Each structure stands twice: as structure tokens, then as C-alpha cells.
Amino acid sequence: MIETDFVPLPYQQEVNEAKITWKSPSNIALVKYWGKKAHQIPANPSISFTLSACATTTSVTFEKLQTPSKGSRFDFFFEGRPKEDFKPKIDQFFERTKTYLPFLGSYHLKISSSNSFPHSSGIASSASGMSALALCLVDFERFLNPEMTEAHFIKKASFLARLGSGSACRSIEGALVQWGAHAGIAESSDLYGIRYEGEVAAIFNNYHDTILLVDKGQKQVSSTVGHGLMHGHPFSEQRFAQAHDTVSSLQSILASGDLKAFIQLVESEALTLHAMMMTSLPYFVLMKPNTLQIINKIWAFRERSDTHLCFTLDAGANVHVLYPENEKTLVYPFIQEELLPFCEKRQHICDRVGFGAKKVTATPYN
Ligand code: DP6
């Protein structure tokens, strides 16, 4: 599909008012998206586990305007309070999506969002937040064009979510989502994420992700700035090529269930992401001393316990500890005893692989 396939046909129905609510999860990348081109096109393909516990619930109330407006008109509330500092990001999202959602000029929107995870936990909420908002918008469009197929609905939600935040396009479905054109994955696209349909061994069912909150402070580098650092980066071309090979390797590992190979791939991806930041200009070290303490503890425990936990990192200091369901009785007590002392106030989130966003309500009032 190409961009223009997401411009809708003339609307068939009229709706004056509606309220739509979706709950959308976060996701954790196994192969990382780091570097992008214009219009939110990724510089390399990525694959993520969709999560379950970390989620954003967003309600949008639509009210038809008496006279259509050129710019988008909306109010934004976060956890029940008006939140002005989120508005520029949402404004930018409406600007990028208006061609694909022409109804936007004819409605006033009241957007209310809340997160299941603690506010300012350093956990990125843009993936869950932007995907929940995109789902509400495309679900409203389905009232206007009831013939929209389910397959188009899912693709368009992911396409729009990407325009809000790249990784958000991987938060519509589960359990594994792939985004970015890749020669070995049929239907893969730079424009939206797709559910990973390759063979996946049972060991990856119900995989755990215990998120350790090492540093709850404001991110040192926003992802937009971070992606920008890959322009003119001395290792960018090798990195982008490597990610294609890593996705291919991950396909075989997912099919075979080879956890040793999985650990190596996932940890190497996380460290490569941080290596890119350490070797850019300007350079950043986003790990904290406690991030390294945790990594060393994980390596030591894995060595002595014959378990298969591993870590991955986003563009920050928090650590995601990944492990299979059948090892949780060994791994979780280890996390509690040896890793939580390195977290701020022992804070952590017990998450696991999930199956994507869920509609809460969608009611048109005419
Ligand atoms: C390190 O999706 O937050 O988490 O498209 O600028 O909103 P924008 O970036 P964003 O980048 C996420 C980067 C990452 C890796 C990943 O999730 O693949």
C-alpha cells in the first residue's frame, strides 16, 4: 500500500456527536528503531513484543462544529486535568494526519487520557498514547464510512499512530509486531506495523518483561533528537544494514526457540542502540551506574542458575528484564532480592507479552 491509499473515500454517513474509548499497550523493541527519514519513515526495520500491563486509555468526544475550521480544535486532559504541555505534540500529529482524516476540520475534539503506569516513571508513553488516539480517530471514521474493512482499520490505525510516534505503530496488535520494509517478511512496510506471522516457538508465549525503574527523571535526550543523531553518524549505514540481518536472525530464533541465541541478539541490540548514542555528536551516556550494576547482576545470575533471563534497554536508564514463563519462580525472586535495590524506591512493573489494543466503547449520538 502507498500513502494515498489512506486518504478516505467521500464520507457516506453524518454523525454529529460521538464518544470513543480505546486502551492501547506499550511495546518493547527486540530489534530497535533508531534513525528515521522524513515523514516518520524508519531508517531500518524493527520488531517488538507488545506489552500488556503498561497501557494508555484514551477517550475522544467528537462534536460537529457549526462552521468547519482550518486548524484542528481540541482540548486535552491527562488523568483528569488539562495538560497544555502535551498539546504541541498532538497539534503536530493532527497536522501530519489531516490529509488522511479530512473530518478533523469539522469537529471539536475532547481528548482524555490516562496511563496504567506511574506518571513520570521514565516509561515512554508515546507508543501507547499515540496508538490509543489513532484508534479513536479511525474508529470514528468508521462511523462515517461503515464499509471500511477490519484489515484496513488496523492498517490505518497503525499508519496514523506512526505519524504520531514511530514506535506507536507497533502498539495496535500483538504478540509480536514488525515495522519497516524487510526482504524476508512478506507485506512488511515502512508505513505501518504488521502482526508478525512467522513461526514462533511456544517458549515465547507469555514471555515476561519486568521493567526496572532505575531513573524516573526527565529523559536526557528526546527520541526525536536521538533519531536525528543518526544523520551523519559515522556508523549509521552499517547499523541500518545490520538491523536487516538482525531481523532475519530473529526470524530463525523465534521459530527454533533457541534462547541462547535470543539472549545474545536482544542484549546486543540494546547495547548497539546505546553505542550509537555514545558515538554520535553530541554524544550521550544514557545508562546510569545502577543500569550497569543490574546488567552485571543479570549476567552473573544467568551464569550460575542456568536460566535464560536477559535485558533490553530503551533510550534511557531503565532496564527491561525478559524471561520465559517457565522460569518465573526462579527469576522473579532474584529480581526482588538482587535487582530492586538498584531501582528508585524498588519501583518496577511486572509486565508480559500482550495481544494488542482493545476497544472500550464507541457510541455515536445523532
Ligand atoms: C529506542 O518511537 O519514541 O524506543 O518516532 O520520534 O516518536 P519518534 O520516536 P520513538 O522512538 C523509539 C526508539 C526506541 C526503540 C524502539 O522502540 O524501536
Side-chain angles (χ1 to χ4, degrees), residues 54-203:
C54 286
T56 300
T57 301
T58 296
S59 293
V60 183
T61 306
F62 301 81
E63 255 181 52
K64 189 139 196 187
L65 296 166
Q66 299 297 346
T67 43
S69 88
K70 277 234 161 62
S72 57
R73 294 198 193 167
F74 70 94
D75 296 317
F76 181 71
F77 297 83
F78 184 70
E79 317 224 299
R81 300 217 173 105
K83 191 91 178 142
E84 293 302 312
D85 43 337
F86 281 20
K87 283 180 100 173
K89 181 125 191 166
I90 300 174
D91 249 330
Q92 182 190 49
F93 171 69
F94 284 136
E95 193 49 41
R96 287 177 182 169
T97 54
K98 65 182 185 198
T99 321
Y100 309 105
L101 297 170
F103 72 80
L104 280 175
S106 310
Y107 289 84
H108 178 271
L109 271 54
K110 181 183 164 201
I111 307 166
S112 308
S113 254
S114 60
N115 287 343
S116 65
F117 43 94
H119 182 47
S120 76
S121 56
I123 298 290
S125 58
S126 64
S128 53
M130 283 297 174
S131 57
L133 178 57
L135 281 157
C136 291
L137 298 175
V138 71
D139 211 5
F140 180 73
E141 189 168 71
R142 193 151 58 170
F143 287 140
L144 305 174
N145 268 351
E147 278 161 23
M148 187 188 297
T149 63
E150 184 63 18
H152 187 78
F153 173 82
I154 298 284
K155 272 197 186 125
K156 183 155 179 178
S158 178
F159 172 85
L160 294 172
R162 186 197 101 241
L163 294 172
S165 178
S167 56
C169 79
R170 299 189 312 237
S171 273
I172 307 293
E173 296 184 283
L176 281 150
V177 176
Q178 193 275 330
W179 169 41
H182 183 271
I185 301 181
E187 312 283 319
S188 59
S189 170
D190 284 344
L191 300 181
Y192 45 80
I194 54 170
R195 192 166 56 210
Y196 180 69
E197 300 286 9
E199 193 186 341
V200 179
I203 192 74

Side-chain angles (χ1 to χ4, degrees), residues 27-36 40-41 44-48 89 92 96 124-127 130 161-170 179 219 222-228 239 269 273-274 277 313-316:
N27 68 74
I28 180 68
L30 304 172
V31 178
K32 309 287 181 184
Y33 147 58
W34 198 243
K36 60 178 162 181
Q40 295 286 100
I41 297 299
N44 66 260
S46 57
I47 295 197
S48 50
K89 181 125 191 166
Q92 182 190 49
R96 287 177 182 169
S125 58
S126 64
M130 283 297 174
R162 186 197 101 241
L163 294 172
S165 178
S167 56
C169 79
R170 299 189 312 237
W179 169 41
K219 272 191 173 181
S222 75
S223 46
T224 308
V225 171
H227 289 289
R239 161 59 195 156
E269 267 295 307
L273 169 71
H274 281 253
M277 284 178 268
L313 308 163
D314 273 340

Side-chain angles (χ1 to χ4, degrees), residues 26 28 51-55 115-125 207-214 216 318-323 332 335-336 340 343-353:
S26 186
I28 180 68
L51 295 178
S52 167
C54 286
N115 287 343
S116 65
F117 43 94
H119 182 47
S120 76
S121 56
I123 298 290
S125 58
Y207 225 72
H208 287 253
D209 178 5
T210 302
I211 307 165
L212 305 179
L213 306 182
V214 173
K216 304 202 311 166
N318 295 331
V319 183
H320 290 247
V321 186
L322 303 179
Y323 49 99
Y332 190 60
I335 291 176
Q336 286 179 303
L340 296 191
C343 297
E344 272 193 34
K345 300 187 190 138
R346 298 178 63 85
Q347 284 189 63
H348 64 293
I349 299 168
C350 291
D351 212 334
R352 58 176 67 200
V353 167

